[in-house]
Amino acid sequence: MDKYGLIGYPLGHSFSISYFNEKFSNENIDARYINFEIASIDMLPEVLARNPELRGLNVTIPYKEKVMEYLDYISPEARAIGAVNVIRVEHKGADFVLKGFNSDVIGFTRSIEPMIESCHKKALILGTGGASKAIDFGLRSLGLETVFVSRYERPGTLQYDKITPDVVKEYNVIVNCTPCGMYPHTDECPKLPYEAMDEHNILYDLIYNPDETLFLEKGRQKGATVKNGLEMLLLQAFASWEFWHGER
């Protein structure tokens, strides 16, 4: 039986394990998806050694960057983003060959692209963590200018208190890559001048629990087009499967 899995720490009941095991059951695929909660990325070789049936892994926080030093190949896209979240495990005799890819950018760009119109030329990316790099790569690949927004003074970033009504009109695509507003903190939202938003704004939230965060709700009430991160997750899962089987 083939195995696939997720490495990260800590791991709750992940989307991936539910999605893939349901897929295997529905499609009569002789495989199993397992969560590998490892306290250090140094434990990856042990996971591989103990699970010789592994054909692929997903990678989540906090190992998307650290895992890169263990890989034999990294796709140009993943290298440019600086993060890997999909690993194809190829078997060469008793040895493993590990190939790294990034599905974040694929899932995101496929999800947001139908929303983009000619008036959408600039975007704010809320947060500077691992996912934000893929979002930046994806938006720029769609032809948008981007600016990162941070709570802290960092080179090349804008701070929340500098986001004026004019800024949200000019940077009318706003993507939340922070955990602000995620369950159970559903009464929180990024500090933005929502009153200045209108039908020209797109608000995209990587969070999918709750279905509509306060960030999305406030934008929608002003006429903005809004979307949560569930479709992106599904598209990432499709891309993972393609990466694992050499279809990309």
Side-chain angles (χ1 to χ4, degrees), residues 159-178:
Q159 279 60 57
Y160 285 93
D161 59 0
K162 302 287 198 306
I163 300 176
T164 64
D166 286 342
V167 170
V168 298
K169 289 187 182 300
E170 182 181 0
Y171 291 81
N172 54 7
V173 177
I174 306 175
V175 183
N176 180 37
C177 302
T178 77

Side-chain angles (χ1 to χ4, degrees), residues 32-236:
R32 191 156 74 99
Y33 193 99
I34 302 163
N35 279 353
F36 297 103
E37 188 173 76
I38 54 176
S40 166
I41 192 62
D42 299 339
M43 296 169 70
L44 176 59
E46 183 181 339
V47 170
L48 293 165
R50 288 189 174 186
N51 298 275
E53 312 89 352
L54 266 175
R55 293 196 58 193
L57 289 166
N58 290 119
V59 185
T60 190
I61 294 168
Y63 302 134
K64 289 185 182 185
E65 296 166 351
K66 295 174 186 173
V67 77
M68 295 172 76
E69 62 191 74
Y70 289 84
L71 305 179
D72 302 292
Y73 165 86
I74 299 170
S75 72
E77 197 169 58
R79 195 174 289 284
I81 294 164
V84 161
N85 71 332
V86 181
I87 299 172
R88 182 160 80 232
V89 183
E90 295 182 354
H91 298 266
K92 304 287 185 187
D95 295 326
F96 295 104
V97 176
L98 304 180
K99 298 186 175 182
F101 306 89
N102 190 297
S103 66
D104 285 339
V105 67
I106 296 167
F108 174 70
T109 50
R110 287 183 181 174
S111 181
I112 200 171
E113 188 171 19
M115 304 166 71
I116 302 290
E117 298 181 11
S118 58
C119 65
H120 299 124
K121 294 183 168 58
K122 297 183 179 182
L124 296 177
I125 300 170
L126 310 184
T128 56
S132 65
K133 295 177 182 177
I135 301 312
D136 177 52
F137 189 95
L139 288 169
R140 287 189 288 110
S141 75
L142 295 173
L144 279 73
E145 289 181 39
T146 58
V147 171
F148 289 100
V149 180
S150 174
R151 289 176 294 168
Y152 310 105
E153 293 281 349
R154 289 176 174 160
T157 66
L158 186 66
Q159 279 60 57
Y160 285 93
D161 59 0
K162 302 287 198 306
I163 300 176
T164 64
D166 286 342
V167 170
V168 298
K169 289 187 182 300
E170 182 181 0
Y171 291 81
N172 54 7
V173 177
I174 306 175
V175 183
N176 180 37
C177 302
T178 77
C180 184
M182 185 186 294
Y183 180 84
H185 304 290
T186 55
D187 58 341
E188 298 175 1
C189 65
K191 292 179 171 56
L192 300 169
Y194 294 93
E195 68 281 358
M197 295 178 185
D198 58 26
E199 69 277 6
H200 298 106
N201 287 94
I202 292 173
L203 269 60
Y204 194 108
D205 202 330
L206 268 54
I207 294 169
Y208 59 93
N209 183 14
D211 290 339
E212 185 176 74
T213 57
L214 191 55
F215 166 69
L216 296 183
E217 181 186 344
K218 286 189 166 194
R220 179 179 53 77
Q221 288 173 348
K222 295 299 180 182
T225 304
V226 304
K227 186 182 272 192
N228 71 14
L230 185 58
E231 183 185 51
M232 176 179 165
L233 268 183
L234 286 166
L235 292 167
Q236 284 177 269

